[in-house]
PDB file of all heavy atoms in Angstrom:
ATOM      1  N   ALA X  11      -2.036  21.132  -2.606  1.00  0.00           N
ATOM      2  CA  ALA X  11      -3.042  20.127  -2.940  1.00  0.00           C
ATOM      3  C   ALA X  11      -4.116  20.007  -1.870  1.00  0.00           C
ATOM      4  O   ALA X  11      -5.108  19.329  -2.063  1.00  0.00           O
ATOM      5  CB  ALA X  11      -2.382  18.765  -3.128  1.00  0.00           C
ATOM      6  N   ALA X  21     -18.533  20.721  18.799  1.00  0.00           N
ATOM      7  CA  ALA X  21     -19.563  20.248  19.719  1.00  0.00           C
ATOM      8  C   ALA X  21     -20.910  20.856  19.342  1.00  0.00           C
ATOM      9  O   ALA X  21     -20.990  22.018  18.950  1.00  0.00           O
ATOM     10  CB  ALA X  21     -19.202  20.643  21.146  1.00  0.00           C
ATOM     11  N   GLY X  37      -5.559   1.780  17.785  1.00  0.00           N
ATOM     12  CA  GLY X  37      -4.565   1.628  16.737  1.00  0.00           C
ATOM     13  C   GLY X  37      -4.379   0.180  16.317  1.00  0.00           C
ATOM     14  O   GLY X  37      -5.127  -0.711  16.721  1.00  0.00           O
ATOM     15  N   ASN X  39      -1.957  -1.732  17.179  1.00  0.00           N
ATOM     16  CA  ASN X  39      -1.433  -2.546  18.268  1.00  0.00           C
ATOM     17  C   ASN X  39      -2.112  -2.283  19.609  1.00  0.00           C
ATOM     18  O   ASN X  39      -2.308  -3.203  20.391  1.00  0.00           O
ATOM     19  CB  ASN X  39       0.077  -2.309  18.424  1.00  0.00           C
ATOM     20  CG  ASN X  39       0.729  -3.274  19.386  1.00  0.00           C
ATOM     21  OD1 ASN X  39       0.698  -4.485  19.167  1.00  0.00           O
ATOM     22  ND2 ASN X  39       1.317  -2.756  20.454  1.00  0.00           N
ATOM     23  N   GLY X  52      -4.680  23.928  29.124  1.00  0.00           N
ATOM     24  CA  GLY X  52      -4.462  22.496  28.915  1.00  0.00           C
ATOM     25  C   GLY X  52      -5.566  21.696  29.566  1.00  0.00           C
ATOM     26  O   GLY X  52      -6.720  22.121  29.602  1.00  0.00           O
ATOM     27  N   GLN X  64      -3.381  -5.780  19.864  1.00  0.00           N
ATOM     28  CA  GLN X  64      -2.886  -6.365  18.609  1.00  0.00           C
ATOM     29  C   GLN X  64      -4.030  -6.579  17.606  1.00  0.00           C
ATOM     30  O   GLN X  64      -4.186  -7.644  17.030  1.00  0.00           O
ATOM     31  CB  GLN X  64      -2.168  -7.689  18.888  1.00  0.00           C
ATOM     32  CG  GLN X  64      -0.972  -7.532  19.815  1.00  0.00           C
ATOM     33  CD  GLN X  64      -0.289  -8.843  20.108  1.00  0.00           C
ATOM     34  OE1 GLN X  64       0.096  -9.572  19.189  1.00  0.00           O
ATOM     35  NE2 GLN X  64      -0.129  -9.173  21.384  1.00  0.00           N
ATOM     36  N   LEU X  94     -16.117   5.376  30.922  1.00  0.00           N
ATOM     37  CA  LEU X  94     -16.874   6.519  30.416  1.00  0.00           C
ATOM     38  C   LEU X  94     -18.188   6.678  31.183  1.00  0.00           C
ATOM     39  O   LEU X  94     -18.580   7.790  31.547  1.00  0.00           O
ATOM     40  CB  LEU X  94     -17.157   6.342  28.925  1.00  0.00           C
ATOM     41  CG  LEU X  94     -15.943   6.422  27.993  1.00  0.00           C
ATOM     42  CD1 LEU X  94     -16.310   5.943  26.594  1.00  0.00           C
ATOM     43  CD2 LEU X  94     -15.391   7.845  27.942  1.00  0.00           C
ATOM     44  N   ALA X 113      -8.462  -2.865   6.792  1.00  0.00           N
ATOM     45  CA  ALA X 113      -9.112  -4.178   6.893  1.00  0.00           C
ATOM     46  C   ALA X 113     -10.376  -4.248   6.040  1.00  0.00           C
ATOM     47  O   ALA X 113     -11.217  -3.346   6.067  1.00  0.00           O
ATOM     48  CB  ALA X 113      -9.445  -4.479   8.349  1.00  0.00           C
ATOM     49  N   LEU X 114     -10.534  -5.348   5.324  1.00  0.00           N
ATOM     50  CA  LEU X 114     -11.705  -5.550   4.483  1.00  0.00           C
ATOM     51  C   LEU X 114     -12.976  -5.693   5.314  1.00  0.00           C
ATOM     52  O   LEU X 114     -14.074  -5.376   4.836  1.00  0.00           O
ATOM     53  CB  LEU X 114     -11.511  -6.798   3.608  1.00  0.00           C
ATOM     54  CG  LEU X 114     -10.353  -6.742   2.617  1.00  0.00           C
ATOM     55  CD1 LEU X 114     -10.167  -8.100   1.946  1.00  0.00           C
ATOM     56  CD2 LEU X 114     -10.594  -5.656   1.564  1.00  0.00           C
ATOM     57  N   ASP X 132     -15.025   6.076  15.111  1.00  0.00           N
ATOM     58  CA  ASP X 132     -14.896   6.824  13.861  1.00  0.00           C
ATOM     59  C   ASP X 132     -13.546   6.466  13.239  1.00  0.00           C
ATOM     60  O   ASP X 132     -12.501   6.699  13.848  1.00  0.00           O
ATOM     61  CB  ASP X 132     -14.977   8.322  14.178  1.00  0.00           C
ATOM     62  CG  ASP X 132     -14.835   9.200  12.952  1.00  0.00           C
ATOM     63  OD1 ASP X 132     -14.982   8.682  11.820  1.00  0.00           O
ATOM     64  OD2 ASP X 132     -14.579  10.408  13.117  1.00  0.00           O
ATOM     65  N   ILE X 133     -13.552   5.892  12.044  1.00  0.00           N
ATOM     66  CA  ILE X 133     -12.292   5.585  11.350  1.00  0.00           C
ATOM     67  C   ILE X 133     -11.816   6.868  10.684  1.00  0.00           C
ATOM     68  O   ILE X 133     -12.434   7.348   9.727  1.00  0.00           O
ATOM     69  CB  ILE X 133     -12.473   4.468  10.305  1.00  0.00           C
ATOM     70  CG1 ILE X 133     -13.043   3.200  10.953  1.00  0.00           C
ATOM     71  CG2 ILE X 133     -11.139   4.163   9.619  1.00  0.00           C
ATOM     72  CD1 ILE X 133     -13.355   2.087   9.960  1.00  0.00           C
ATOM     73  N   PRO X 136      -5.855   9.506   7.189  1.00  0.00           N
ATOM     74  CA  PRO X 136      -4.464   9.789   7.584  1.00  0.00           C
ATOM     75  C   PRO X 136      -4.195  11.261   7.855  1.00  0.00           C
ATOM     76  O   PRO X 136      -3.432  11.594   8.760  1.00  0.00           O
ATOM     77  CB  PRO X 136      -3.657   9.291   6.377  1.00  0.00           C
ATOM     78  CG  PRO X 136      -4.498   8.222   5.767  1.00  0.00           C
ATOM     79  CD  PRO X 136      -5.911   8.690   5.958  1.00  0.00           C
ATOM     80  N   GLN X 141      -2.777  15.546  11.677  1.00  0.00           N
ATOM     81  CA  GLN X 141      -3.186  16.832  12.250  1.00  0.00           C
ATOM     82  C   GLN X 141      -3.269  16.765  13.769  1.00  0.00           C
ATOM     83  O   GLN X 141      -2.793  17.650  14.487  1.00  0.00           O
ATOM     84  CB  GLN X 141      -4.539  17.175  11.640  1.00  0.00           C
ATOM     85  CG  GLN X 141      -5.253  18.392  12.163  1.00  0.00           C
ATOM     86  CD  GLN X 141      -6.631  18.487  11.519  1.00  0.00           C
ATOM     87  OE1 GLN X 141      -6.803  18.226  10.331  1.00  0.00           O
ATOM     88  NE2 GLN X 141      -7.619  18.832  12.299  1.00  0.00           N
ATOM     89  N   CYS X 147       1.594  18.064  20.145  1.00  0.00           N
ATOM     90  CA  CYS X 147       2.988  18.396  20.440  1.00  0.00           C
ATOM     91  C   CYS X 147       3.243  19.902  20.540  1.00  0.00           C
ATOM     92  O   CYS X 147       4.389  20.316  20.780  1.00  0.00           O
ATOM     93  CB  CYS X 147       3.901  17.805  19.369  1.00  0.00           C
ATOM     94  SG  CYS X 147       3.902  15.995  19.343  1.00  0.00           S
ATOM     95  N   ASN X 154      12.233  29.242  19.283  1.00  0.00           N
ATOM     96  CA  ASN X 154      13.289  29.507  18.303  1.00  0.00           C
ATOM     97  C   ASN X 154      13.109  28.708  17.021  1.00  0.00           C
ATOM     98  O   ASN X 154      13.835  28.912  16.050  1.00  0.00           O
ATOM     99  CB  ASN X 154      14.656  29.166  18.902  1.00  0.00           C
ATOM    100  CG  ASN X 154      15.019  30.078  20.058  1.00  0.00           C
ATOM    101  OD1 ASN X 154      14.723  31.261  20.029  1.00  0.00           O
ATOM    102  ND2 ASN X 154      15.650  29.524  21.080  1.00  0.00           N
ATOM    103  N   ARG X 181       6.924  34.365  20.064  1.00  0.00           N
ATOM    104  CA  ARG X 181       6.078  34.102  21.234  1.00  0.00           C
ATOM    105  C   ARG X 181       4.777  33.389  20.860  1.00  0.00           C
ATOM    106  O   ARG X 181       4.133  32.763  21.717  1.00  0.00           O
ATOM    107  CB  ARG X 181       5.753  35.411  21.956  1.00  0.00           C
ATOM    108  CG  ARG X 181       4.851  36.343  21.156  1.00  0.00           C
ATOM    109  CD  ARG X 181       4.555  37.624  21.892  1.00  0.00           C
ATOM    110  NE  ARG X 181       3.640  38.491  21.158  1.00  0.00           N
ATOM    111  CZ  ARG X 181       4.001  39.281  20.159  1.00  0.00           C
ATOM    112  NH1 ARG X 181       5.274  39.329  19.795  1.00  0.00           N
ATOM    113  NH2 ARG X 181       3.105  40.033  19.526  1.00  0.00           N
ATOM    114  N   ASP X 200      -6.430  37.342  10.792  1.00  0.00           N
ATOM    115  CA  ASP X 200      -5.400  38.292  11.217  1.00  0.00           C
ATOM    116  C   ASP X 200      -4.374  37.646  12.140  1.00  0.00           C
ATOM    117  O   ASP X 200      -3.345  38.246  12.439  1.00  0.00           O
ATOM    118  CB  ASP X 200      -6.059  39.468  11.942  1.00  0.00           C
ATOM    119  CG  ASP X 200      -6.945  40.297  11.024  1.00  0.00           C
ATOM    120  OD1 ASP X 200      -6.666  40.304   9.810  1.00  0.00           O
ATOM    121  OD2 ASP X 200      -7.906  40.909  11.522  1.00  0.00           O
ATOM    122  N   ALA X 204       0.748  29.109  11.206  1.00  0.00           N
ATOM    123  CA  ALA X 204       1.754  28.108  10.864  1.00  0.00           C
ATOM    124  C   ALA X 204       1.395  27.541   9.494  1.00  0.00           C
ATOM    125  O   ALA X 204       0.231  27.245   9.228  1.00  0.00           O
ATOM    126  CB  ALA X 204       1.765  27.002  11.906  1.00  0.00           C
ATOM    127  N   VAL X 226      12.962 -13.012   7.951  1.00  0.00           N
ATOM    128  CA  VAL X 226      14.424 -12.835   8.024  1.00  0.00           C
ATOM    129  C   VAL X 226      14.884 -13.272   9.410  1.00  0.00           C
ATOM    130  O   VAL X 226      14.498 -12.677  10.424  1.00  0.00           O
ATOM    131  CB  VAL X 226      14.821 -11.368   7.758  1.00  0.00           C
ATOM    132  CG1 VAL X 226      16.341 -11.215   7.832  1.00  0.00           C
ATOM    133  CG2 VAL X 226      14.290 -10.903   6.410  1.00  0.00           C
ATOM    134  N   ASP X 252      15.907  21.221   0.406  1.00  0.00           N
ATOM    135  CA  ASP X 252      16.441  22.574   0.292  1.00  0.00           C
ATOM    136  C   ASP X 252      16.704  23.214   1.654  1.00  0.00           C
ATOM    137  O   ASP X 252      16.967  24.403   1.745  1.00  0.00           O
ATOM    138  CB  ASP X 252      15.457  23.458  -0.500  1.00  0.00           C
ATOM    139  CG  ASP X 252      15.271  22.977  -1.928  1.00  0.00           C
ATOM    140  OD1 ASP X 252      16.259  22.503  -2.522  1.00  0.00           O
ATOM    141  OD2 ASP X 252      14.144  23.062  -2.439  1.00  0.00           O
ATOM    142  N   GLU X 257      20.050  25.238  13.729  1.00  0.00           N
ATOM    143  CA  GLU X 257      19.520  25.106  15.078  1.00  0.00           C
ATOM    144  C   GLU X 257      18.056  25.507  15.133  1.00  0.00           C
ATOM    145  O   GLU X 257      17.376  25.244  16.121  1.00  0.00           O
ATOM    146  CB  GLU X 257      20.341  25.975  16.035  1.00  0.00           C
ATOM    147  CG  GLU X 257      21.764  25.482  16.224  1.00  0.00           C
ATOM    148  CD  GLU X 257      22.542  26.336  17.201  1.00  0.00           C
ATOM    149  OE1 GLU X 257      21.949  27.321  17.691  1.00  0.00           O
ATOM    150  OE2 GLU X 257      23.707  26.020  17.483  1.00  0.00           O
ATOM    151  N   LEU X 289      12.166  15.630  26.718  1.00  0.00           N
ATOM    152  CA  LEU X 289      13.599  15.344  26.701  1.00  0.00           C
ATOM    153  C   LEU X 289      14.174  15.556  25.305  1.00  0.00           C
ATOM    154  O   LEU X 289      13.516  15.273  24.298  1.00  0.00           O
ATOM    155  CB  LEU X 289      13.835  13.889  27.127  1.00  0.00           C
ATOM    156  CG  LEU X 289      15.288  13.390  27.130  1.00  0.00           C
ATOM    157  CD1 LEU X 289      16.048  13.992  28.296  1.00  0.00           C
ATOM    158  CD2 LEU X 289      15.331  11.861  27.210  1.00  0.00           C
ATOM    159  N   MET X 291      17.207  14.366  22.765  1.00  0.00           N
ATOM    160  CA  MET X 291      18.217  13.329  22.556  1.00  0.00           C
ATOM    161  C   MET X 291      18.984  13.613  21.273  1.00  0.00           C
ATOM    162  O   MET X 291      18.403  14.032  20.265  1.00  0.00           O
ATOM    163  CB  MET X 291      17.563  11.950  22.447  1.00  0.00           C
ATOM    164  CG  MET X 291      16.948  11.433  23.722  1.00  0.00           C
ATOM    165  SD  MET X 291      16.402   9.705  23.530  1.00  0.00           S
ATOM    166  CE  MET X 291      17.994   8.869  23.395  1.00  0.00           C
ATOM    167  N   GLN X 295      23.159   9.579  20.904  1.00  0.00           N
ATOM    168  CA  GLN X 295      22.530   8.926  22.052  1.00  0.00           C
ATOM    169  C   GLN X 295      21.484   7.902  21.603  1.00  0.00           C
ATOM    170  O   GLN X 295      21.382   6.809  22.173  1.00  0.00           O
ATOM    171  CB  GLN X 295      21.881   9.985  22.945  1.00  0.00           C
ATOM    172  CG  GLN X 295      22.895  10.844  23.688  1.00  0.00           C
ATOM    173  CD  GLN X 295      22.271  12.061  24.351  1.00  0.00           C
ATOM    174  OE1 GLN X 295      21.193  12.523  23.947  1.00  0.00           O
ATOM    175  NE2 GLN X 295      22.942  12.593  25.358  1.00  0.00           N
ATOM    176  N   ASP X 320       5.154  -5.564  26.673  1.00  0.00           N
ATOM    177  CA  ASP X 320       4.285  -5.096  25.594  1.00  0.00           C
ATOM    178  C   ASP X 320       5.086  -4.536  24.418  1.00  0.00           C
ATOM    179  O   ASP X 320       4.632  -4.582  23.283  1.00  0.00           O
ATOM    180  CB  ASP X 320       3.335  -4.001  26.101  1.00  0.00           C
ATOM    181  CG  ASP X 320       2.186  -4.578  26.914  1.00  0.00           C
ATOM    182  OD1 ASP X 320       2.042  -5.821  26.933  1.00  0.00           O
ATOM    183  OD2 ASP X 320       1.450  -3.791  27.533  1.00  0.00           O
ATOM    184  N   ALA X 334      16.109   5.563  10.633  1.00  0.00           N
ATOM    185  CA  ALA X 334      15.969   6.058   9.258  1.00  0.00           C
ATOM    186  C   ALA X 334      15.592   7.535   9.251  1.00  0.00           C
ATOM    187  O   ALA X 334      16.124   8.328   8.450  1.00  0.00           O
ATOM    188  CB  ALA X 334      14.914   5.240   8.512  1.00  0.00           C
ATOM    189  N   MET X 336      16.235   9.826  11.521  1.00  0.00           N
ATOM    190  CA  MET X 336      17.346  10.675  11.960  1.00  0.00           C
ATOM    191  C   MET X 336      18.446  10.764  10.914  1.00  0.00           C
ATOM    192  O   MET X 336      19.241  11.706  10.931  1.00  0.00           O
ATOM    193  CB  MET X 336      17.900  10.166  13.294  1.00  0.00           C
ATOM    194  CG  MET X 336      16.911  10.235  14.451  1.00  0.00           C
ATOM    195  SD  MET X 336      16.159  11.865  14.705  1.00  0.00           S
ATOM    196  CE  MET X 336      17.580  12.838  15.214  1.00  0.00           C
ATOM    197  N   LEU X 351      -2.031  11.028  19.694  1.00  0.00           N
ATOM    198  CA  LEU X 351      -3.373  11.152  19.149  1.00  0.00           C
ATOM    199  C   LEU X 351      -4.416  11.466  20.219  1.00  0.00           C
ATOM    200  O   LEU X 351      -5.295  12.321  20.028  1.00  0.00           O
ATOM    201  CB  LEU X 351      -3.738   9.854  18.420  1.00  0.00           C
ATOM    202  CG  LEU X 351      -4.971   9.882  17.514  1.00  0.00           C
ATOM    203  CD1 LEU X 351      -4.874  10.976  16.480  1.00  0.00           C
ATOM    204  CD2 LEU X 351      -5.139   8.524  16.836  1.00  0.00           C
ATOM    205  N   PHE X 371       1.870  27.848  27.246  1.00  0.00           N
ATOM    206  CA  PHE X 371       1.680  26.496  27.799  1.00  0.00           C
ATOM    207  C   PHE X 371       2.550  26.330  29.031  1.00  0.00           C
ATOM    208  O   PHE X 371       3.612  26.888  29.128  1.00  0.00           O
ATOM    209  CB  PHE X 371       2.057  25.443  26.754  1.00  0.00           C
ATOM    210  CG  PHE X 371       1.105  25.397  25.603  1.00  0.00           C
ATOM    211  CD1 PHE X 371       1.419  26.000  24.399  1.00  0.00           C
ATOM    212  CD2 PHE X 371      -0.114  24.778  25.733  1.00  0.00           C
ATOM    213  CE1 PHE X 371       0.546  25.953  23.347  1.00  0.00           C
ATOM    214  CE2 PHE X 371      -1.000  24.720  24.674  1.00  0.00           C
ATOM    215  CZ  PHE X 371      -0.673  25.319  23.476  1.00  0.00           C
TER     216      PHE X 371
END
Side-chain angles (χ1 to χ4, degrees):
N39 189 61
Q64 300 179 54
L94 292 168
L114 297 173
D132 179 16
I133 303 175
Q141 174 185 320
C147 295
N154 294 323
R181 68 180 183 280
D200 294 333
V226 180
D252 297 324
E257 292 182 359
L289 178 73
M291 291 188 69
Q295 289 169 337
D320 283 351
M336 296 307 294
L351 193 55
F371 291 101

